[in-house]
Amino acid sequence: MTLLFVYGLDRYQHRFVRTDRDLLHLLPGGDATFFYAHVDALRRAGLLNVVAGSKKAEDTEYQAFVRATGFDYTKDVDAIAGSAGQDDVLLAAKGRFDWSRIRTYVRTHGGECAGDTCQMPANMPGSWVDLVRIQPNVVGIGFGKQNTLAGLIHPGRDAIDEYISSDPVWVRLAPNLLKNPAELPVALRIFAISMESADAVVIALAPPRRDSSDAFEIKLTAQCPVAATAETIRSQLEIDTKMLKLELAHEHQQPNPADLTGLMTSGHFVTSGKEVEGEWPVSKELVKALQ
């Protein structure tokens, strides 16, 4: 009994991921968009479908994966960190996984496994899904055009500590995406163009103010090279917001709290030294409409 306890303690002490923030240590750096979500917090707050999208859970192929492996991200993932580059997406997920059933699923769908690493063809021709078990409760997943992505997800990476939010959900936009925002939706593209001179931009979901009846807030933090750049960005964001309001008025419409017009026209922006901060309150009406 003592021997088993010592063995279990040794395994726990040598786990690479003990906190959710440690998930970021598994990812490589580079010009990528990084993101993090405390999935369990979203689940308990009833906001998981708003952030992840409810339709994904209804996908036939996804349901087949759930039946075969017993894994369902809506129940089994507690936290996830990831990076999205030009050609690949890397994820590090913490939760509950049945690795033996996942290995069986991979092998029955044209893939192969060796030890704690698996590869299988993705739905998109010429693309692959890689999986690697980091520890019993942490799995790395890679999507892309090469079948060696699992090798990019491993312990010992430098922490991506710069410009990271402490909020439960955040996205740090890639510098290249800010300078070439063509792939973003039009409304977001307008704001991204305004911030192309920033060094780093983080967008996060945060709890509402104590005196607010909103569901939560979307927060923007833009780090700039100099204070003058921050002031220019703040001014441009205010102009963009006013232009959206004028466009709605031209079409004889009012911002609606139950859709994106209410959200995009509610922004408030301030500067603090070389930093720009923005806030958009998210109404409960909008959350209900998105669920």
Side-chain angles (χ1 to χ4, degrees):
M1 184 71 177
T2 301
L3 184 61
L4 287 175
F5 173 78
V6 172
Y7 174 75
L9 180 62
D10 179 72
R11 289 206 64 182
Y12 175 79
Q13 289 177 334
H14 288 86
R15 287 190 175 193
F16 300 104
V17 180
R18 299 185 186 179
T19 67
D20 294 343
R21 184 59 65 93
D22 289 341
L23 291 172
L24 292 165
H25 288 260
L26 302 174
L27 302 171
D31 186 10
T33 293
F34 291 90
F35 52 91
Y36 168 83
H38 193 306
V39 182
D40 187 50
L42 292 173
R43 184 162 46 235
R44 287 186 276 107
L47 297 174
L48 185 56
N49 285 347
V50 176
V51 176
S54 59
K55 291 184 179 180
K56 182 181 290 187
E58 299 170 1
D59 182 78
T60 303
E61 185 175 0
Y62 176 74
Q63 290 294 347
F65 175 80
V66 170
R67 288 193 297 271
T69 64
F71 171 78
D72 184 348
Y73 81 91
T74 64
K75 301 176 181 177
D76 298 320
V77 173
D78 292 333
I80 189 166
S83 66
Q86 186 173 1
D87 298 317
D88 55 60
V89 175
L90 303 177
L91 304 173
K94 181 181 177 183
R96 292 156 294 282
F97 312 97
D98 188 331
W99 187 246
S100 62
R101 293 179 68 177
I102 291 176
R103 285 167 59 96
T104 299
Y105 179 86
V106 169
R107 287 169 172 163
T108 56
H109 286 75
E112 58 183 24
C113 295
D116 288 335
T117 303
C118 295
Q119 298 91 25
M120 62 182 288
N123 291 333
M124 186 179 298
S127 297
W128 292 82
V129 178
D130 283 13
L131 301 100
V132 56
R133 185 172 64 166
I134 306 297
Q135 61 191 44
N137 66 333
V138 178
V139 169
I141 308 170
F143 303 89
K145 295 184 178 180
Q146 51 181 316
N147 62 350
T148 56
L149 292 175
L152 300 177
I153 308 171
H154 61 75
R157 297 289 191 183
D158 293 333
I160 309 166
D161 289 329
E162 285 189 302
Y163 316 127
I164 285 180
S165 171
S166 60
D167 291 305
V169 180
W170 56 262
V171 177
R172 195 192 79 177
L173 300 179
N176 186 58
L177 184 61
L178 293 173
K179 294 176 173 57
N180 301 280
E183 296 182 3
L184 293 174
V186 175
L188 295 179
R189 194 182 309 162
I190 294 172
F191 288 101
I193 291 172
S194 300
M195 295 180 288
E196 62 182 354
S197 298
D199 290 332
V201 174
V202 174
I203 300 173
L205 301 189
R209 298 176 184 270
R210 290 185 179 180
D211 58 347
S212 172
S213 61
D214 296 312
F216 57 91
E217 288 185 347
I218 296 177
K219 295 194 328 186
L220 162 75
T221 303
Q223 298 284 345
C224 304
V226 294
T229 302
E231 184 58 33
T232 298
I233 290 176
R234 182 202 61 77
S235 177
Q236 187 60 53
L237 287 170
E238 288 188 344
I239 291 172
D240 293 338
T241 301
K242 290 178 181 178
M243 291 297 293
L244 286 173
K245 291 179 180 178
L246 289 173
E247 181 63 26
L248 286 173
H250 179 72
E251 297 178 1
H252 305 289
Q253 296 183 34
Q254 292 293 325
N256 186 348
D259 64 31
L260 292 179
T261 61
L263 175 64
M264 300 303 292
T265 56
S266 65
H268 174 69
F269 313 99
V270 297
T271 56
S272 176
K274 297 188 291 184
E275 187 173 278
V276 182
E277 296 180 355
E279 294 179 354
W280 292 266
V282 180
S283 68
K284 292 179 180 178
E285 293 93 337
L286 178 56
V287 171
K288 185 177 181 180
L290 293 175
Q291 288 180 324

